[in-house]
Amino acid sequence: MPWTGVDIGGTLVKLVYFEPTDFINAEHEHEAEVETLRTIRHYLTSNTAYGKTGIRDVHLEIKNFLIHGRTGTLHFIRFPTCEMQAFLQLVKSKNLSSIAHTICGTGGGAYKFAQDFKNIVDMELEKYDELDCLITGIHYIDSKLPNECYYWSNPDPFNSEACEKVPFDFRNPYPYLVVNIGSGVSILAVKSQEDYGRVSGTSLGGGTFLGLCCLLTGCQTFEEAIEMASSGDSTQVDKLVRDIYGGDYDRFHLPGSTVASSFGQMNIPERRASVSKNDLARATLVTITNNIGSIARMCALNVGIERVVFVGNFLRVNPLAMKLLSFAMEYWSKGAIKALFLEHEGYFGAVGALVQLLNKNEE
């Protein structure tokens, strides 16, 4: 049978699906199960988009993946949480419940939609803590993929071309902070695979960025908001140190380019009239990343940890935010802290739920 883990967040649903590719040679498979698996495989591999909003992140899939003696492909799929009912109808139409009676889930939506899974597709949605699943997923994927972790060298918010992606050895990471940027932000201190806890967070996360961009620019999707931000100029919106001091603030070693007040120029009618939607999107991104970076830096200082890992779907198709976070962490820590990132970004909760299912099957 296939295995699935799902993380139902406030904005996005992240689904990890293990597609066995060796079922033809597996004597213990029932003929009906094999036929259902073939149907699912055909639907999955012949599409990268499902309906109007479902996306399979092909660049993240892991081939020749071994789970419990079975070889297959690990797929990573996402869709907006508001499309959950359409997803359940799709699961029903593909007859997935005939080969899987239980699905392990995490995130707030695992509680919200549990009854819908039972009523619509006749599947039990077993619920697991989202922070437990996050940490489990990170360690599980990192144990399988040696180049999962990386950082950006030479971070410069004014010259992103100077940044270079560099692999980082994450085999002995403890202790470290995890900054999980989803709709909001949770920050965990991880001392070992079993010893971790939430130390802080903020309501200003990826959902805030998208919501503000939709209000300020009229964009409709996260991808559109990021595209606009990539070509915008936040200095047309923000008030900088040089706008106040005429240059650097030497006493506290603050360069003139430092943001003194996010959106601080927007109280001036002439500046509001001249600013573009792209500028507003860029300023929103800078505001959110600066806030997250500042909180992460203070948490690292408070708990005495110098390794900070950023994850979450806010970082998807968003190298600009990664570079801004890298610059903020390096600048304010005077080079003591590097911002680390992971290739599978926002899928670790779903992977952790999948691991829970694997453990359950072993019992």
Side-chain angles (χ1 to χ4, degrees), residues 1-3 17-26 29 34 37-38 40-42 44-45 61-67 69-75:
M1 62 161 285
W3 293 285
Y17 171 77
F18 176 69
E19 171 215 351
T21 55
D22 60 353
F23 59 82
I24 293 177
N25 299 318
E29 301 282 16
V34 170
L37 286 170
R38 283 179 174 147
I40 295 171
R41 180 183 185 186
H42 175 75
L44 271 180
T45 57
E61 72 179 29
I62 309 173
K63 296 183 178 180
N64 299 316
F65 199 72
L66 189 64
I67 291 183
R70 302 295 301 273
T71 301
T73 300
L74 202 58
H75 295 282

Side-chain angles (χ1 to χ4, degrees), residues 102-142:
T102 301
I103 183 170
C104 289
T106 188
Y111 295 85
K112 181 178 180 179
F113 296 105
Q115 195 60 46
D116 290 333
F117 271 81
K118 182 64 177 176
N119 294 341
I120 298 174
V121 296
D122 194 26
M123 295 179 71
E124 293 291 337
L125 181 56
E126 292 205 3
K127 299 170 283 292
Y128 293 90
D129 180 78
E130 60 183 299
L131 300 184
D132 290 345
C133 286
L134 171 66
I135 300 301
T136 298
I138 288 174
H139 293 149
Y140 183 77
I141 289 293
D142 187 69

Side-chain angles (χ1 to χ4, degrees), residues 154-195:
N154 307 312
D156 184 343
F158 303 105
N159 182 18
S160 62
E161 298 300 321
C163 298
E164 182 181 354
K165 190 175 177 180
V166 181
F168 184 87
D169 187 347
F170 201 64
R171 284 176 295 182
N172 185 27
Y174 309 108
Y176 67 95
L177 285 186
V178 175
V179 183
N180 187 28
I181 314 174
S183 298
V185 181
S186 285
I187 302 177
L188 286 74
V190 184
K191 298 178 182 178
S192 72
Q193 195 161 349
E194 294 80 27
D195 185 6

Side-chain angles (χ1 to χ4, degrees), residues 23 45 50 80 104 121 129-130 144 155 170 178 192 202 208 223-224 232 267 280 288 297 306 342 362:
F23 59 82
T45 57
Y50 313 99
C104 289
V121 296
D129 180 78
E130 60 183 299
K144 304 289 186 179
F170 201 64
V178 175
S192 72
T202 172
T208 314
E223 289 79 6
E224 187 181 353
N267 64 318
L280 291 169
I288 296 299
R297 162 62 180 151
E306 296 186 350
L342 300 171
E362 285 184 340

Side-chain angles (χ1 to χ4, degrees), residues 235-253:
T235 65
Q236 300 301 310
V237 180
D238 297 335
K239 185 166 288 186
L240 309 181
V241 167
R242 65 170 175 255
D243 296 321
I244 300 171
Y245 282 85
D248 299 342
Y249 188 4
D250 294 327
R251 180 182 177 187
F252 293 107
H253 310 292

Side-chain angles (χ1 to χ4, degrees), residues 256-273:
S257 58
T258 304
V259 177
S261 175
S262 297
F263 284 77
Q265 300 283 18
M266 292 298 93
N267 64 318
I268 304 171
E270 293 80 9
R271 299 301 291 264
R272 287 201 304 272

